[in-house]
Structures are given as structure tokens and as C-alpha cells.
Amino acid sequence: MDVLRPTLININGRMYRRNMIKEEHYEEEEDCSYMEPTESEDAADETCDSHFIEQTDKGYRCAIDVPSVLYKYIIGKKGETRKRLEADTKTSISIPKQGVEGQIVITGSHKSAVSSAVTRVEVLMESFRKKQPFTHFLSFPLNDSKIQEGFLTFKDKVLQQFSQDHGVEGSIFQNPAKLHLTVGTMALLNDMEVRKACEHLQECQRFIRDITDGKPLPLQVTGIEYMNDDPAMVDVLYAKVNVKDGSDKLQVIADRLVEHFVSAGLMIREWDRVKLHGTVMNTLFRKDSTVEDTGGTGRQAVSEREAFDARNILKTFGAYCFGEFELDAVLLSQRYSTDCTGYYSSAGSISFS
């Protein structure tokens, strides 16, 4: 860590420095049990705006909703992290049994002590939440029957003409039933967080309908492009998707969705603008048929990927038309899932019309 430019974590509007300490916990090098408030927020341990601290006969109490998958990071190896938190803040921290969804309850004789413990638990949660693989993603489905037909024709022609090119084989093509655009990914760690994401998606319906005038969005899927700099060593080949009238409505909707979910604390912003791309070929699919392109890195290590030579494909199919269709929904899709249509199972959705 650069001591002059330490990593900062934003917790409810306050900034904290992350101290780097060599620990044995879960093979991590970061121990977020100790977080120093920045100078401008040196009173952070004295207040707790995000949680209600109630006064009881024995002192003070605060209950925090924490997904069960994060309990182990607050407990620590042999309970060391919890013990250290309790000793430092002079509080008692009650954690449900592993696998049982519930609340972590913090009690103490002084309100400031409980507030300090709450803040430290929140910092731990925020740090380790970022390490969880994503479970859901917002998607624009491209699996319209006309687009699937155009994709299968593209696949057949590519394999007929260029199967001798390095790395080109049938296994690296996308499943036509799962053609989609990824808007953004989320790690939703329990049913409550999934419900929260669904509620926020519903809140987006108004601005989407304002943009589309309450009508489906006519799209055309035409042309292909690759992700990296060398067309002879490609890992991802994708179809370009545009609104038929040439407007940027689809891009605006995607960017507004990400802005909303980032503000809600459910999504991490990766780029200034969403890069909308419909993956048609991906080398992650080559060795693991269960890998699905949803905007993440997949299960396969990048070093294991075998790139393919896309030069002839790009030259021949650079302007290939997969088809046109009307997009009428954005879905909260579940990673590694399949519904009755072959698309990803949906936890929630909103329509454009």
C-alpha cells in the first residue's frame, strides 16, 4: 500500500483508511478489523447515522442486518476478530449460527462504544462484500427468435469457413437462448438483498418509460467487434446493438440503471459508461460449458484461456446482420441459472411499455 495514498472505504458518507496488516485469517493480507477515520471524519466512531441505537435497562443496543455468508469475517479465525472488536470497543457482539439469516446484535454500556463497534462491523462487511463473486446481473435479453436464428446462421457459416483458424471451434460460441446485454453485476447475498434489488428495479420503471415514451425500443443487432488489441488473439467477440432510429436511448437507460443501483449500494461502478455488447464467442466457454458470459471473469482463470484467430471472421462478417427486434424489458437475472425458455432465471423485471 502507498502510505501517502492509502486505500479509502466509503461507509455511509464517511471515509476510512484501510490499514494493511499481515494476518492468517482466510489467507487474506488485509485485516479490516482496525480502520482509522480520516482526519476530516475523526468523530465517526462517536456517531452512527445508519442504524438506530436504542437505550435499554442495561445500556445500549443496536441490531444490524448482515448476510450469513459474511459472519465468518466478523468472527475471524477461532473467534479472534470478534474478541478483538469486543475488547477494543468494550461491547458484546452476538452473531447468529452460520447459515442462519438474522441480525448481529451489539450491546454495551455506552452509546459511543456501541456506535464504534457498529462502524467497525460495517467496514468489515464492506471490505469482504467486495470479494464475493457476483450472483445477479441486470440484463437486456437478446434472445428474440429472429436474433437467435441470425446467430445460429452466423455460427454455422463461421464453422464452415474458418474452423481451421486457430482456436475456432463450436464450444466457444454463446448459447443462443442466453444472448443478452449485461448492464451491471451485483452480489446479492440473501433473499432480503434480492428483494431490495427488485424494489429498486421497480423504481427505475418511470424514468425508463419517460425515455422510451412507454413503448418497446426497436433495436438492430448488426456488426461484430473484438475486445482486445490483436485480432489474431481474441478472447471475446461480440455483436453491436443499436437503436434503429440512431438515438442513444439504450445507452442512457443502461447508464441511468447503473447510477441508480450504485447509489443504492447494490452495485459497484466499473466504468464511466456501460459498455453494451452482446457476446457471441468467448474462450471462457471452451473448457467449461457451465461458464456463462455475464460481464464477469467467469470460473476459468484468464491464464488458462486459449485465444482464437478472428481476422478472417472479422473480415467476412464485420457487418453481419443478426436481425432486428423490439426490446421491452430489463431483467434482474440470476447467474448460473436457466428458466423454461433457456434464458437466465429472473428474480424481477420491468417493462418499457
Side-chain angles (χ1 to χ4, degrees):
M1 179 181 74
D2 186 342
V3 295
L4 298 179
R5 295 182 179 178
T7 302
L8 300 180
I9 296 178
N10 187 324
I11 302 291
N12 299 312
R14 295 191 173 90
M15 302 304 295
Y16 296 87
R17 288 190 293 266
R18 175 186 293 170
N19 289 347
M20 305 295 289
I21 301 174
K22 183 68 177 180
E23 291 281 339
E24 296 180 356
H25 306 327
Y26 311 109
E27 300 181 353
E28 300 287 347
E29 292 188 354
E30 302 172 39
D31 176 16
C32 299
S33 303
Y34 295 95
M35 292 289 175
E36 299 176 0
T38 59
E39 292 179 3
S40 62
E41 300 293 350
D42 56 6
D45 272 357
E46 300 301 323
T47 62
C48 181
D49 298 331
S50 59
H51 297 281
F52 174 67
I53 300 177
E54 63 177 327
Q55 187 169 9
T56 67
D57 295 339
K58 297 181 180 180
Y60 293 87
R61 176 185 184 276
C62 185
I64 310 174
D65 290 314
V66 178
S68 61
V69 70
L70 299 180
Y71 293 168
K72 62 182 180 181
Y73 301 116
I74 299 168
I75 296 171
K77 186 176 182 181
K78 297 182 180 179
E80 293 173 0
T81 301
R82 175 167 59 178
K83 292 175 184 176
R84 186 164 57 244
L85 285 171
E86 291 176 327
D88 287 351
T89 60
K90 295 180 174 60
T91 59
S92 175
I93 302 174
S94 176
I95 302 174
K97 292 181 179 180
Q98 190 65 41
V100 178
E101 295 296 340
Q103 293 182 314
I104 288 180
V105 178
I106 300 174
T107 56
S109 301
H110 302 284
K111 185 176 182 179
S112 60
V114 173
S115 177
S116 177
V118 169
T119 298
R120 294 183 184 219
V121 168
E122 284 185 321
V123 171
L124 274 172
M125 287 171 53
E126 182 70 15
S127 176
F128 287 105
R129 175 182 286 279
K130 292 179 179 179
K131 301 178 185 296
Q132 304 302 310
F134 74 88
T135 60
H136 293 74
F137 59 102
L138 294 179
S139 73
F140 296 136
L142 300 180
N143 61 342
D144 179 88
S145 59
K146 295 185 290 294
I147 306 301
Q148 288 197 53
E149 183 179 348
F151 168 80
L152 289 172
T153 300
F154 166 78
K155 177 181 177 180
D156 289 343
K157 289 183 177 181
V158 168
L159 291 176
Q160 288 172 8
Q161 299 178 43
F162 305 121
S163 60
Q164 299 304 311
D165 290 357
H166 176 77
V168 176
E169 60 177 63
S171 68
I172 65 175
F173 285 83
Q174 175 66 285
N175 177 346
K178 292 193 170 181
L179 289 166
H180 69 279
L181 301 174
T182 296
V183 177
T185 62
M186 291 170 276
L188 306 178
L189 304 181
N190 57 23
D191 291 343
M192 184 178 67
E193 293 190 352
V194 173
R195 288 194 298 271
K196 180 180 177 182
C198 289
E199 291 169 0
H200 278 282
L201 183 58
Q202 293 301 318
E203 293 174 6
C204 297
Q205 188 162 51
R206 177 174 294 181
F207 78 71
I208 289 178
R209 289 184 174 178
D210 287 344
I211 295 171
T212 65
D213 296 323
K215 301 175 183 178
L217 205 57
L219 302 181
Q220 55 186 16
V221 184
T222 303
I224 56 173
E225 192 55 84
Y226 59 102
M227 285 288 191
N228 57 306
D229 297 327
D230 186 357
M233 295 290 289
V234 171
D235 283 316
V236 177
L237 194 71
Y238 63 91
K240 295 184 284 187
V241 182
N242 296 290
V243 183
K244 284 188 66 177
D245 64 9
S247 70
D248 63 350
K249 291 179 180 178
L250 187 64
Q251 184 69 52
V252 171
I253 292 171
D255 290 339
R256 289 281 300 275
L257 283 166
V258 169
E259 180 182 347
H260 182 92
F261 277 82
V262 169
S263 297
L266 292 169
M267 187 179 291
I268 298 174
R269 186 185 299 279
E270 297 184 42
W271 314 102
D272 291 337
R273 301 179 77 223
V274 178
K275 183 174 178 59
L276 293 171
H277 62 283
T279 297
V280 293
M281 299 173 70
N282 190 333
T283 58
L284 279 176
F285 304 155
R286 190 188 305 281
K287 295 181 180 180
D288 187 349
S289 61
T290 65
V291 169
E292 296 165 346
D293 181 85
T294 48
T297 57
R299 298 175 182 172
Q300 197 173 324
V302 174
S303 61
E304 298 175 357
R305 297 173 72 163
E306 178 189 351
F308 66 97
D309 187 346
R311 289 175 294 182
N312 287 326
I313 299 174
L314 290 162
K315 182 178 180 180
T316 305
F317 298 100
Y320 180 81
C321 180
F322 293 87
E324 299 178 354
F325 77 107
E326 291 189 337
L327 179 67
D328 193 32
V330 56
L331 309 179
L332 177 59
S333 301
Q334 183 178 335
R335 193 181 189 188
Y336 304 128
S337 68
T338 305
D339 66 13
C340 60
T341 70
Y343 194 68
Y344 301 93
S345 298
S346 175
S349 66
I350 53 174
S351 65
F352 293 3
S353 58

